[in-house]
Amino acid sequence: MSLLTPIEVQPAVEVGPVHFIAIGGSGMNGIARLYAKLGIPTSGSDRSDSATLDSLREAGITCYVGHDASQLGDAKTVVISSAIREDNPELAEARRRGLRVWHRSAALAALMLGKSGVSIAGTHGKTTTTAMTAVMLQQAGAEPSYVIGGKLAATKVSSDIGTGDAFVIEADESDGSFLQYPTRIAIITSIEPDHLVNWGTPEAYTEGYHTFATLPTVEWAIVNADDLGARALADRLRAEGRRVISYGFAEDADVRVSDANPVREGITGTLRYGDETGVLRLKVPGNHNLSNASAAYAAGRILGLGHEEALVALGQFTGTLRRLQLITDTAGIRVYDDYAHHPTEIRAALTAARHATEVGNEDTGLDGRLIACFQPHLYSRTADLHDELGEVLTLADIAVINDVCGDREDPIPGVTGQLVVDAARRHGVREVVYVVDKYDLPAALNEISRPGDLIITLGCGDVTIVGPLLAPLLAQRPEAQNR
């Protein structure tokens, strides 16, 4: 995989029928759903069946399991992700027939034409910030269109077409996709070198964000004042005469949050913008979510929302799936699931989980522990960051570590979950358990945990199966039977 080169696109209504290869992917299914909602004949395939494919079928999309050239049908446009290899039989057939082949970012850009694009990019935090922005605009009656990399907890969907002017998207930087979109408002949540297999150097990665923030269509940049990389970009943009709104906890942030107060139902804080101040009440935990909400607030003000209107609307956000998502509260043990897979993301998730553990201890009087169940993602990332991953797990009382989920990568000799285990022990994690097979994790966690504990599964791979498999085991415990 390498960086993408932006291309000129036509309006979505002019390119059908459309076929999506790997339609069940988090970056694909939301886009496919919108093509179908516009009345464009839409089909797709994926390597295995899933609940996502079932929901796409309910939306009128023809979905195939497995890849076969015949499944292209009468498609005029074929949409792929960066993970699709040239020897995929459907892609090979599309090339042979001379069909239009678009990366998913081009397919999304085609949907955005004529709208006010709000593109949220960043090494961390972009899914939640995108979701908050979309929900805020929905709750305020602005009827936005949106595509998010995760599903909203309230509706279990990741995309919609609205009648309003705003089109809110999660803009992926990993392959340069964020340079494809017709962006009016560019939000940058953080800049920390990642995906260097594509970008080559940290400097090139950082420069990519400057290119994103200075695309010809961009009118405003909303930038995190608490992140060193993003802050440096904001300074550079201001020096170039660009319009910038900074946000976060920093004293000089244009949209500033302060007075963070974790509560069992989420977190509260004070938000100030200019002469306007108000209380921000969120139903999701963590200081990082107060920061994310202040970025969404800034976008809302640019798009015409009032101060109190934006605060009230943000208070209706109930989270996205796989972002501090409560899976079960059984036998006195709470189990959460989170997509965090980079050390910075894990730090934010574990910090929020620690606050939730402490609040729970105050409520129950139990000495509950924080148990982190982490699945490293990608061999390259594990090779590069295993020491940092081990260090951040010191924020938990117990670290249960799984083997690497390689996904699109081929194995690298010597790179396994043991690297993270060794690093965690070296950095002083109180208790470290290595469980190689993910299907053994539920039993291991059931054995380790006790009433009052909070378990959080971490990783962007298939570790998400662990919580639902653990729940029935917890339900069989005497503590659950006596309730």
Side-chain angles (χ1 to χ4, degrees), residues 170-337:
E170 178 176 344
D172 180 18
E173 88 287 358
S174 67
D175 54 10
S177 290
F178 63 172
L179 304 181
Q180 175 67 67
Y181 305 121
T183 299
R184 178 189 172 204
I185 301 172
I187 299 179
I188 297 98
T189 62
S190 56
I191 303 175
E192 187 174 349
D194 198 6
H195 308 291
L196 298 187
V197 67
N198 292 328
W199 287 94
T201 66
E203 293 76 16
Y205 180 84
T206 299
E207 190 63 25
Y209 280 93
H210 180 266
T211 304
F212 166 66
T214 58
L215 290 169
T217 55
V218 172
E219 298 176 9
W220 287 92
I222 299 172
V223 186
N224 188 353
D226 299 323
D227 179 84
L228 291 177
R231 189 180 182 91
L233 175 62
D235 292 342
R236 181 179 175 185
L237 293 173
R238 285 195 178 101
E240 295 169 349
R242 305 278 178 174
R243 291 194 287 185
V244 177
I245 297 178
S246 62
Y247 70 89
F249 287 88
E251 290 189 4
D252 61 347
D254 297 314
V255 178
R256 186 179 180 226
V257 284
S258 59
D259 307 320
N261 180 35
V263 294
R264 189 173 181 87
E265 298 79 15
I267 195 166
T268 67
T270 301
L271 185 146
R272 174 191 56 75
Y273 181 46
D275 296 330
E276 298 175 298
T277 301
V279 177
L280 177 59
R281 296 181 177 87
L282 297 181
K283 296 178 181 178
V284 290
N287 285 15
H288 63 294
N289 278 324
L290 284 176
S291 179
N292 293 336
S294 67
Y297 169 95
R301 295 306 303 271
I302 293 172
L303 292 168
L305 299 190
H307 171 70
E308 190 65 27
E309 184 179 27
L311 291 179
V312 171
L314 284 166
Q316 303 307 306
F317 177 70
T318 57
T320 58
L321 302 186
R322 300 226 58 214
R323 269 68 177 183
L324 284 172
Q325 178 191 355
L326 179 64
I327 302 300
T328 187
D329 185 350
T330 305
I333 299 167
R334 285 176 289 165
V335 181
Y336 287 82
D337 183 42

Side-chain angles (χ1 to χ4, degrees), residues 459-473:
C460 62
D462 51 13
V463 71
T464 188
I465 67 172
V466 173
L469 292 175
L470 173 60
L473 300 181

Side-chain angles (χ1 to χ4, degrees), residues 126-138:
K126 52 184 172 286
T127 296
T128 300
T129 305
T130 306
M132 282 183 171
T133 305
V135 170
M136 173 192 68
L137 293 170
Q138 277 185 324

Side-chain angles (χ1 to χ4, degrees), residues 59-138:
I61 297 173
T62 301
C63 294
Y64 302 97
V65 177
H67 301 294
D68 188 279
S70 64
Q71 293 168 179
L72 292 183
D74 60 353
K76 293 182 179 178
T77 301
V78 173
V79 180
I80 62 173
S81 71
S82 296
I84 304 302
R85 301 185 178 185
E86 286 295 324
D87 61 358
N88 178 285
E90 293 174 11
L91 177 55
E93 176 66 7
R95 301 282 194 208
R96 188 191 69 79
R97 287 164 52 180
L99 301 181
R100 181 187 296 109
V101 176
W102 272 355
H103 185 267
R104 62 175 177 79
S105 57
L108 177 51
L111 290 165
M112 296 172 67
L113 293 176
K115 297 280 190 174
S116 288
V118 183
S119 300
I120 294 89
T123 314
H124 323 292
K126 52 184 172 286
T127 296
T128 300
T129 305
T130 306
M132 282 183 171
T133 305
V135 170
M136 173 192 68
L137 293 170
Q138 277 185 324

Side-chain angles (χ1 to χ4, degrees), residues 245-435:
I245 297 178
S246 62
Y247 70 89
F249 287 88
E251 290 189 4
D252 61 347
D254 297 314
V255 178
R256 186 179 180 226
V257 284
S258 59
D259 307 320
N261 180 35
V263 294
R264 189 173 181 87
E265 298 79 15
I267 195 166
T268 67
T270 301
L271 185 146
R272 174 191 56 75
Y273 181 46
D275 296 330
E276 298 175 298
T277 301
V279 177
L280 177 59
R281 296 181 177 87
L282 297 181
K283 296 178 181 178
V284 290
N287 285 15
H288 63 294
N289 278 324
L290 284 176
S291 179
N292 293 336
S294 67
Y297 169 95
R301 295 306 303 271
I302 293 172
L303 292 168
L305 299 190
H307 171 70
E308 190 65 27
E309 184 179 27
L311 291 179
V312 171
L314 284 166
Q316 303 307 306
F317 177 70
T318 57
T320 58
L321 302 186
R322 300 226 58 214
R323 269 68 177 183
L324 284 172
Q325 178 191 355
L326 179 64
I327 302 300
T328 187
D329 185 350
T330 305
I333 299 167
R334 285 176 289 165
V335 181
Y336 287 82
D337 183 42
D338 197 276
Y339 192 79
H341 53 281
H342 185 281
T344 302
E345 298 165 349
I346 295 169
R347 185 174 302 279
L350 288 179
T351 299
R354 174 61 71 188
H355 285 315
T357 304
E358 292 169 353
V359 171
N361 289 346
E362 292 172 0
D363 290 347
T364 64
L366 296 172
D367 185 21
R369 304 164 300 173
L370 175 57
I371 302 173
C373 175
F374 174 57
Q375 181 190 63
H377 184 253
L378 300 184
Y379 298 103
S380 59
R381 183 180 287 122
T382 305
D384 292 339
L385 298 177
H386 60 272
D387 189 67
E388 292 89 339
L389 291 167
E391 189 276 331
V392 77
L393 290 172
T394 59
L395 295 174
D397 298 305
I398 301 173
V400 179
I401 298 170
N402 189 216
D403 202 1
V404 178
C405 174
D407 268 356
R408 59 184 178 269
E409 291 187 343
D410 295 325
I412 298 174
V415 177
T416 70
Q418 187 67 48
L419 289 177
V420 182
V421 170
D422 294 342
R425 288 173 176 157
R426 187 166 60 250
H427 284 285
V429 178
R430 301 176 201 179
E431 182 177 345
V432 183
V433 180
Y434 187 31
V435 179

